[in-house]
Amino acid sequence: MDIFLIVLGAILTNNILLTTFLGICPFIGVSGEYASASGMGMAVIFVLTMTLPANWLIKHFILDPLGVSYLSLIVYIVTIAFLVQVVEMFMKRFLPALYSSLGIFLPLITVNCAILGGVLFAIATWNLGFMESVAYGFGGGVGWALAIILMAAIRERLRFAPIPEGLKGPGIALIIAGLMAMSFVGFSGMINIRDFGG
Amino acid sequence: MAEAIQIQKASAPAIPLTQRLPQTKGWKELVRDIWDDNPTFRMILAMCPTMGATNMAINGMAQGLATLIATVASSATVAALRTIIPAEVRLPAYMIIIAFWVTIVDIFLRAYLPPLSAALGPYVPLIITNCFVLGRAEAFASQNSPGLSALDALGVGLGFTMSLTLLGIVRELLGFGSLFGIQIFSGWTPWVIMIIPAGAFLLVGLYVGIVKHFSPGGQIGGGA
């Protein structure tokens, strides 16, 4: 039950993009077209679900027992870069169709702040347990994908809208994101992932 | 004739600094990075800290300065090591250099300014994934001397600090009626929207629109 609540909370109440501002650069940069937006969303779900438990294990079985938690940031980012590489090789070998549809977005995920941000929130700030971290990783990825897919759908409809010259492109995208964030405020208070932390 | 030459000789070093400085290469890089390539409003880069850490003016400024220090230090380090790092593994190497400096900044803030560190939360460690820190390392520091790279990074950092402070000032003024913690409007009804995430998105969108409207030149684009 807790796991289900965390997944739901990560998608709606603690949406990684619209409430904690993580991964906005690709959200603005890649949301111009629906197909690439959904590809990017899939890649983020994949990587976030894998990196959170991996970094959880590293923190609790390597960094904490050795007392070297001051190295955590360097270790986390190297782990993320390594896992992105592994996911890329795995997909190339076993899921070539998905791999070619994701293209350049997969390697770019290393510098997507949603990944490192998700790790820092779940492991460092909220101190979630192992299963909770897996659930938050999956839910957070789905929430991010939901936001970018919604955004891409809206931007496709806006292509021929009479928008003031200065606001075309990133400007209007940010304002739409603001309106989306406002509507997600309606979910706040239902679930708070912080409560599941230790 | 001899008198004229003497006057010329005497007057040559007398050109004020404000006129000599703009001619140097480092200065040009600095100005271009602060305004023409402003990371926030021009390049639409580094959006996470731009929004997450600007609900108060002081937070925006602190986040900007922390990023500035990390960027300058990483760019100078990358430039100093540019002949040693093999081209094939340069990106992971840059990431480790950046992560190292960000860790130093984070530990320093936690030790000497704990309230500020608590207010900024994970946005200080997140400087690692700040696109323009890696961007400056890859685009500029990998080909230039440490001094010039530090100036280039300083320009980007100052432009970023300026943008974040501006956003923080407006959000704090409308959201709390105060400025840098000092109450400006008494009996102000707070605009809750300016404190919550939605306000940050709306405000940055408007800023981008205004900057683009009044100076249409330059590159506007979204990165990954």
Side-chain angles (χ1 to χ4, degrees):
Chain A
M1 189 60 199
D2 276 5
I3 302 299
F4 175 73
L5 279 180
I6 287 177
V7 172
L8 199 66
I11 297 173
L12 296 178
T13 59
N14 289 66
N15 189 298
I16 205 159
L17 192 109
L18 295 170
T19 64
T20 47
F21 310 104
L22 298 174
I24 298 178
C25 304
F27 175 67
I28 301 297
V30 191
S31 63
E33 275 173 49
Y34 186 81
S36 45
S38 51
M40 188 74 187
M42 291 300 152
V44 169
I45 296 177
F46 221 86
V47 175
L48 204 52
T49 316
M50 291 192 63
T51 50
L52 258 171
N55 276 326
W56 192 94
L57 291 174
I58 286 174
K59 178 185 192 291
H60 287 266
F61 288 105
I62 298 174
L63 294 177
D64 281 357
L66 293 179
V68 288
S69 53
Y70 52 85
L71 286 178
S72 58
L73 289 180
I74 300 176
V75 173
Y76 290 162
I77 196 73
V78 171
T79 312
I80 290 170
F82 174 73
L83 271 172
V84 168
Q85 203 79 51
V86 170
V87 167
E88 198 180 346
M89 287 187 321
F90 176 83
M91 274 190 166
K92 200 175 178 181
R93 177 77 179 77
F94 296 105
L95 301 161
L98 188 58
Y99 174 78
S100 54
S101 74
L102 289 180
I104 183 70
F105 301 130
L106 206 49
L108 275 182
I109 287 183
T110 308
V111 285
N112 184 332
C113 23
I115 310 294
L116 184 62
V119 169
L120 289 176
F121 271 116
I123 298 177
T125 310
W126 296 331
N127 201 10
L128 296 179
F130 183 72
M131 281 322 286
E132 284 86 355
S133 295
V134 178
Y136 179 71
F138 176 70
V142 172
W144 196 91
L146 176 75
I148 194 171
I149 288 171
L150 282 175
M151 176 60 124
I154 295 174
R155 280 182 81 174
E156 288 217 334
R157 303 290 300 255
L158 277 180
R159 195 160 291 165
F160 301 106
I163 300 163
E165 197 54 42
L167 282 177
K168 269 185 186 155
I172 195 74
L174 285 165
I175 290 175
I176 294 168
L179 298 177
M180 280 166 69
M182 236 190 280
S183 64
F184 271 70
V185 170
F187 295 115
S188 67
M190 266 182 2
I191 307 163
N192 196 346
I193 294 187
R194 197 181 298 262
D195 301 340
F196 297 98
Chain B
M1 186 68 186
E3 207 175 295
I5 288 174
Q6 248 185 357
I7 287 171
Q8 221 177 14
K9 258 188 191 162
S11 65
I15 299 171
L17 190 69
T18 45
Q19 280 173 31
R20 255 187 305 142
L21 205 56
Q23 303 303 321
T24 59
K25 193 174 177 232
W27 178 264
K28 279 180 190 155
E29 289 296 338
L30 192 73
V31 172
R32 182 177 59 81
D33 288 327
I34 292 178
W35 185 246
D36 294 338
D37 285 351
N38 184 296
T40 314
F41 301 138
R42 283 286 190 185
M43 315 285 276
I44 327 287
L45 291 178
M47 282 289 125
C48 323
T50 301
M51 301 188 182
T54 54
N55 56 353
M56 304 263 237
I58 188 74
N59 292 352
M61 202 162 162
Q63 175 75 29
L65 289 176
T67 313
L68 184 144
I69 294 166
T71 317
V72 171
S74 329
S75 266
T77 313
V78 165
L81 298 175
R82 70 188 187 280
T83 48
I84 303 170
I85 299 172
E88 300 82 38
V89 294
R90 66 180 195 287
L91 289 181
Y94 296 167
M95 291 304 285
I96 291 172
I97 291 172
I98 294 168
F100 167 76
W101 283 113
V102 172
T103 305
I104 302 256
V105 170
D106 186 38
I107 290 174
F108 178 86
L109 276 181
R110 250 188 284 165
Y112 291 100
L113 298 163
L116 208 54
S117 172
L120 294 177
Y123 293 102
V124 173
L126 278 173
I127 295 172
I128 296 175
T129 51
N130 206 322
C131 340
F132 71 72
V133 182
L134 186 65
R136 288 338 286 172
E138 165 75 0
F140 198 93
S142 59
Q143 285 137 22
N144 287 286
S145 69
L148 210 56
S149 305
L151 266 183
D152 172 72
L154 184 69
V156 179
L158 283 177
F160 187 61
T161 309
M162 186 188 79
S163 322
L164 255 62
T165 314
L166 258 173
L167 272 170
I169 286 174
V170 175
R171 282 184 75 187
E172 189 180 346
L173 206 57
L174 296 177
F176 297 98
S178 61
L179 207 55
F180 291 101
I182 303 158
Q183 201 67 31
I184 300 282
F185 305 132
S186 49
W188 176 257
T189 310
W191 295 22
V192 179
I193 189 162
M194 279 299 153
I195 308 167
I196 62 170
F201 280 108
L202 293 177
L203 204 61
V204 176
L206 276 180
Y207 271 46
V208 168
I210 292 169
V211 168
K212 203 175 164 192
H213 182 77
F214 286 107
S215 52
Q219 185 206 351
I220 300 246

